[in-house]
Amino acid sequence: MNLLDRVRLGIAVFAAKTITSTIRTFKLGAASVLPGTIGKRLHPQILTMLSQQIKYGVIVVAGTNGKTTTSLLLRGILEKDGWKVVHNEAGANLVNGLITTLLEHTSLTGKLKADYGILEVDENVIPLVLPQLKPKYILALNLFRDQLDRYGEVDTITYRWRKVIAELSSDSILVVNGDDPALAYLGQQLEQGENPKQVKYFGLTEPALYLDKMPHAVDSIDCPNCGTALDYKGFYLSHQGDFNCPKCSFTKSKLSIDSKEWPQVLIGVYNQYNTLAAITTMESIGISKPVILDTISTFQAAFGRSEELVYKGKKVRILLTKNPVGMNETIRAIDRVKQTGGSSVSLMVLNDRTPDGTDVSWIWDVDTEKFVNSGGTIVVSGDRVYDLALRLEYSKTNLDSDCKLIVKENLQEAIDTALELTPPNEILHIVPTYSAMLEVREILTGRKIL
C-alpha cells in the first residue's frame, strides 16, 4: 500500500467512524450501511484494501435461505477455537454493509486485525464483491426463487456465480450444497474448468427424511447439463434431494461428510443443511470435531431464526419466512411439533414492504393444505392479512375442517389473541416475513433491532 492510499484510507476510516458515532449517539439508526457508503466514496477500493488484511481470508456465505444461521454457527465454532472473527452480524449484506462491517473493526490508522472474516452476501451482488474480497471459502447454501422482481430466475444467478468464481485464484475453495442440482452442476463445472477449483459438497444421506411427494414450490428439477427431467429417488426440501439424469452423465456428487453422523442446530431440515454447510467448511479449515460439536450443542438462534422468547409468561418461537420454500419447511417443522402435542396455535404475519418483496403471490406456491387440515388455530395478521387468510381458507379440503382461522389486522391484538389461546405447556409459533419479524420482536422485547 503506497503513501497516498494510506492517507486516503485513513481519511475514509476517520470519516466513517465519525458518522457511526454520530448516528449511534443520537440514536438515528444502527449505522450498518451509511459509514460504508461514505468510506467507499472517499476510497473506491476500500473493500479490497480492508479484506486483504484478514490473516487467513474471508469466508463468503451466499444463498437464498440460511445465510444468517450458517454464518452465526461458523463464527461460534471459530471463536470457540480461539480465532478472532469479523462478521456482518447486523445482516447488512450488500456492498456498503460489508464495508461498514470491516470499518467497524479497523483502527484509525487503517489496520484491521482479524484471523477470519465471515461475510454473508446477498446472492445478487456476488459477482460484484467476489473480485474485491478474493475469498478463501465460498459457501453456496441453496438457490430458490425469491423476490423475482429483484433477482430473476435461478439459472441466471448460477450463470453469474460460475463466471465470477471461475476467475478467482485456485486457492479459493467452494463449499456447495450437493443436493441442489443447479449448485451441484456449478461445483462440477468449476472442478473441471480451465482454472480448476477445489470443491466440497454437503448434503443429506437420510432417505427417512424424504418428503411424501414433490412439493409445489420447486425450481431446478431439470438437468442443468442437457435439460432432461431429473430422476429423483426422493426430495428432502424443495428441489433438493437424491437425483441423477437419465440421459447424460450428470448426477449428485459424492458428499464430503455423512449427515447421519452429525447433530444439527435448531429445528427443521433447512437448519440441518445450514449445520452441514458449516461443518464441511470447518473441517476443511482443520477445526476439531469436539469443538464443532460443542458449538452446535450450545448454539443460540439469531433474531427471528427459530429464536425462542418468553412473553407474558408463555414461550414463543419466531420462524422467519420470505419465500415458498422457506414457508413450506417452516410449517413442516411446526407440524412435527403439533403432532407431539407441543403446539396447537400459530400466528402468521404477511407484509409486502421492500425487505419482504412487494409481490405476495408467492403464498399460493406454499403447500399450506396439510398444515391447515392438521387442525389447531391459526391467527393471521400483517399488511396483507386478507391475502393470507384467503390462501389458508382455500387450503381447507372440506368444510368440516377443525382448523380455526382468526383474522386480526392489528399486530398487537393478533399476538395477544394467539398467546391467550396458547395453553401454558405449549409453544406459540410465529411465522412472519422480514419486516413483520422486526415488528413482532419490537412488541415482544420492547426494543427495535435496527
Side-chain angles (χ1 to χ4, degrees):
M1 189 186 306
N2 59 43
L3 180 60
L4 178 59
D5 274 336
R6 286 187 182 279
V7 171
R8 291 183 67 190
L9 180 60
I11 294 171
V13 171
F14 178 78
K17 287 185 176 294
T18 300
I19 290 292
T20 300
S21 178
T22 302
I23 291 174
R24 292 179 179 173
T25 298
F26 292 98
K27 299 181 179 180
L28 300 175
S32 60
V33 175
L34 184 58
T37 305
I38 300 298
K40 184 182 177 185
R41 181 67 62 88
L42 293 172
H43 199 314
Q45 302 303 316
I46 193 169
L47 182 59
T48 297
M49 296 182 72
L50 294 179
S51 62
Q52 286 181 346
Q53 296 184 52
I54 298 174
K55 189 173 184 180
Y56 298 110
V58 171
I59 302 171
V60 165
V61 183
T64 310
N65 295 337
K67 294 188 289 293
T68 299
T69 297
T70 304
S71 297
L72 197 60
L73 181 55
L74 289 168
R75 175 181 175 176
I77 294 170
L78 286 171
E79 289 184 338
K80 188 173 286 292
D81 204 47
W83 303 104
K84 184 177 181 181
V85 178
V86 175
H87 171 216
N88 56 334
E89 57 187 316
N93 57 19
L94 300 180
V95 177
N96 292 335
L98 303 179
I99 296 172
T100 299
T101 294
L102 299 183
L103 283 168
E104 180 106 18
H105 295 82
T106 302
S107 71
L108 287 173
T109 59
K111 299 291 185 180
L112 196 164
K113 294 184 178 180
D115 296 309
Y116 289 96
I118 299 173
L119 299 177
E120 40 186 298
V121 179
D122 183 281
E123 54 265 42
N124 211 32
V125 301
I126 284 289
L128 179 62
V129 302
L130 289 195
Q132 299 178 65
L133 292 172
K134 297 179 175 60
K136 176 64 176 177
Y137 292 90
I138 305 162
L139 273 68
L141 298 177
N142 48 62
L143 280 176
F144 305 118
R145 284 178 295 147
D146 182 53
Q147 300 185 39
L148 288 176
D149 52 330
R150 292 179 58 209
Y151 297 122
E153 291 288 355
V154 167
D155 56 354
T156 302
I157 298 174
T158 53
Y159 172 77
R160 292 171 180 166
W161 283 18
R162 184 168 73 244
K163 186 176 180 181
V164 69
I165 295 172
E167 295 174 355
L168 294 176
S169 163
S170 57
D171 291 336
S172 295
I173 298 173
L174 187 62
V175 180
V176 169
N177 185 339
D179 290 355
D180 186 312
L183 292 179
Y185 184 67
L186 168 72
Q188 292 172 16
Q189 291 292 102
L190 289 168
E191 281 182 301
Q192 302 163 8
E194 294 181 5
N195 180 22
K197 298 291 182 296
Q198 182 179 349
V199 183
K200 295 183 178 294
Y201 299 88
F202 66 90
L204 293 172
T205 53
E206 303 173 58
L209 295 177
Y210 285 161
L211 293 166
D212 296 335
K213 58 181 179 180
M214 182 178 73
H216 184 63
V218 292
D219 299 306
S220 304
I221 56 174
D222 292 332
C223 176
N225 183 50
C226 70
T228 303
L230 292 170
D231 278 343
Y232 275 85
K233 292 181 180 179
F235 295 88
Y236 290 117
L237 187 164
S238 184
H239 55 266
Q240 296 175 189
D242 294 323
F243 57 83
N244 70 278
C245 178
K247 186 175 181 180
C248 70
S249 59
F250 176 67
T251 189
K252 177 174 172 176
S253 296
K254 182 179 179 181
L255 304 180
S256 298
I257 60 174
D258 185 346
S259 67
K260 295 190 295 294
E261 297 178 357
W262 294 91
Q264 71 177 80
V265 298
L266 311 176
I267 65 170
V269 170
Y270 53 99
N271 279 317
Q272 194 163 355
Y273 276 111
N274 297 337
T275 308
L276 293 170
I279 292 169
T280 302
T281 307
M282 292 296 96
E283 286 207 322
S284 299
I285 288 176
I287 307 299
S288 68
K289 188 170 184 177
V291 170
I292 297 174
L293 289 172
D294 189 27
T295 310
I296 291 173
S297 67
T298 58
F299 182 79
Q300 296 294 315
F303 62 87
R305 281 80 170 179
S306 298
E307 180 184 21
E308 295 188 7
L309 303 168
V310 175
Y311 183 67
K312 295 185 177 180
K314 293 187 178 179
K315 292 182 179 179
V316 176
R317 180 182 287 146
I318 306 174
L319 299 162
L320 171 68
T321 59
K322 57 177 182 171
N323 51 43
V325 172
M327 187 170 283
N328 274 341
E329 288 308 302
T330 294
I331 60 180
R332 178 184 177 188
I334 296 174
D335 257 337
R336 289 182 177 178
V337 180
K338 187 188 294 186
Q339 290 167 13
T340 64
S343 179
S344 59
V345 181
S346 301
L347 168 60
M348 304 180 76
V349 192
L350 178 67
N351 283 356
D352 61 351
R353 303 172 197 176
T354 300
D356 313 296
T358 56
D359 181 359
V360 298
S361 62
W362 61 267
I363 62 175
W364 292 91
D365 288 332
V366 179
D367 299 320
T368 51
E369 285 73 17
K370 185 176 180 180
F371 184 56
V372 169
N373 290 289
S374 62
T377 300
I378 304 176
V379 182
V380 293
S381 188
D383 298 342
R384 301 298 291 268
V385 59
Y386 292 104
D387 296 79
L388 181 56
L390 181 65
R391 173 67 187 104
L392 297 176
E393 191 66 38
Y394 267 99
S395 299
K396 295 181 179 179
T397 55
N398 61 73
L399 297 178
D400 298 326
S401 171
D402 61 355
C403 177
K404 185 178 181 181
L405 193 62
I406 300 175
V407 176
K408 291 289 182 180
E409 294 184 8
N410 182 276
L411 182 57
Q412 179 70 68
E413 291 182 9
I415 292 174
D416 290 341
T417 299
L419 277 171
E420 184 179 345
L421 295 171
T422 301
N425 61 331
E426 294 186 6
I427 188 167
L428 169 64
H429 287 98
I430 301 181
V431 184
T433 52
Y434 190 83
S435 69
M437 180 270 290
L438 298 181
E439 293 179 309
V440 167
R441 285 195 87 262
E442 184 177 358
I443 291 173
L444 297 182
T445 66
R447 62 181 183 276
K448 294 183 179 181
I449 297 174
L450 303 175

